[in-house]
Amino acid sequence: MGKKVPYSVEDFNPTPAQAAKGMKHSVYAVARTKTTLSIYDLAEKMADGTTYTKGEILGMLDRLDTVMRQELLEGNACQLGNVKGEVLTTLKASVKGSVSDAEIEAITTAAHAQDASVAIRTVAEKSDLKPDKLSVTVKALIGKNFGEWFRQNKSLERVKSQGFYVPDDDENPANQGGNGGGSDPDDGTLG
C-alpha cells in the first residue's frame, strides 16, 4: 500500500464566460502528496545502513547545494542522478521575455509625441528586448530514463479530493460491501 501514488479525481465546472467560449464540464486527475520529506528526513534515510552519520550526509548535501547555486549563477546546468549516469533531474536557468510589434509601435508613438525626431516603428527588433524586460528563474527537467523508470514502477491509489492524503473508501466498490454486482472502471487500480 505504501508504494502507491495517490491521486484524486476533480470536477472542472466552467464559469459562464468559459462556457460561452465552448468549454464544458470535465473531470481530471490530480496527484496528491502523502508527505514532504525534508533534507533532514532524507539524510536520516540515507544514513540508515551505511557508515555515514546523518550529520555527515547533511554536510555533503549542504555543500552540494552551495556548489550547485554557484554553478547555476555561472550559467551552467547541474544534473542529479546516480553513479551509473542515470539522470534524476537537471537544474538550469530559464529566461522568459518578449516584446511585440504592437508594444514597439505604442512606445515609439508615445516617444514621437514628445519628440518629433523619434521615428515611429511598427516592427520589434532584437535590440528592443532589454534585460529589464526579462525574467529569469531555475527550472527542473526530469531525466528521460528516470521518468520511464517511475512510469513503469508506480501504481496508483485513488484518494479523496482533499489537498492531503485520505484513502477514498467511499468511491472504491471493494470497500462498499453489498452484492458486488458490476465493476467501477475508475476503482483506483489504474496501471
Side-chain angles (χ1 to χ4, degrees):
M1 190 73 121
K3 299 210 183 223
K4 293 186 177 182
V5 175
Y7 76 98
S8 65
V9 177
E10 306 292 332
D11 282 288
F12 168 73
N13 293 307
T15 65
Q18 291 170 325
K21 293 179 183 176
M23 297 176 87
K24 299 191 181 302
H25 171 267
S26 61
V27 295
Y28 61 97
V30 177
R32 298 295 178 192
T33 301
K34 290 181 182 178
T35 190
T36 299
L37 299 176
S38 72
I39 191 170
Y40 302 99
D41 299 326
L42 293 171
E44 189 170 320
K45 288 178 177 281
M46 290 169 66
D48 188 36
T50 73
T51 59
Y52 295 105
T53 67
K54 177 181 173 181
E56 289 171 325
I57 291 173
L58 281 170
M60 287 185 269
L61 291 172
D62 192 55
R63 181 66 184 144
L64 176 64
D65 174 77
T66 300
V67 169
M68 288 178 63
R69 286 172 188 260
Q70 292 169 347
E71 294 300 325
L72 287 165
L73 288 174
E74 291 182 20
N76 298 316
C78 297
Q79 291 183 331
L80 295 173
N82 61 30
V83 294
K84 296 184 263 180
E86 298 169 330
V87 176
L88 168 66
T89 188
T90 301
L91 300 177
K92 61 187 277 186
S94 174
V95 179
K96 292 185 180 182
S98 65
V99 63
S100 70
D101 291 346
E103 289 172 300
I104 291 303
E105 184 173 9
I107 290 168
T108 58
T109 299
H112 181 78
Q114 298 292 321
D115 178 358
S117 69
V118 175
I120 297 174
R121 294 189 293 124
T122 58
V123 176
E125 298 172 358
K126 291 179 181 178
S127 60
D128 293 321
L129 192 54
K130 308 275 190 227
D132 64 339
K133 296 230 181 239
L134 303 176
S135 67
V136 63
T137 187
V138 175
K139 68 178 178 179
L141 306 170
I142 301 302
K144 180 181 175 184
N145 291 340
F146 177 73
E148 182 61 21
W149 169 86
F150 187 79
R151 188 187 69 73
Q152 290 178 2
N153 288 285
K154 61 82 184 91
S155 62
L156 296 169
E157 174 184 27
R158 188 164 170 180
V159 297
K160 293 186 180 181
S161 297
Q162 292 133 345
F164 50 89
Y165 179 78
V166 178
D168 196 354
D169 292 337
D170 296 339
E171 295 180 359
N172 188 339
N175 297 325
Q176 292 180 354
N179 59 16
S183 64
D184 181 354
D186 193 16
D187 66 356
T189 58
L190 300 177

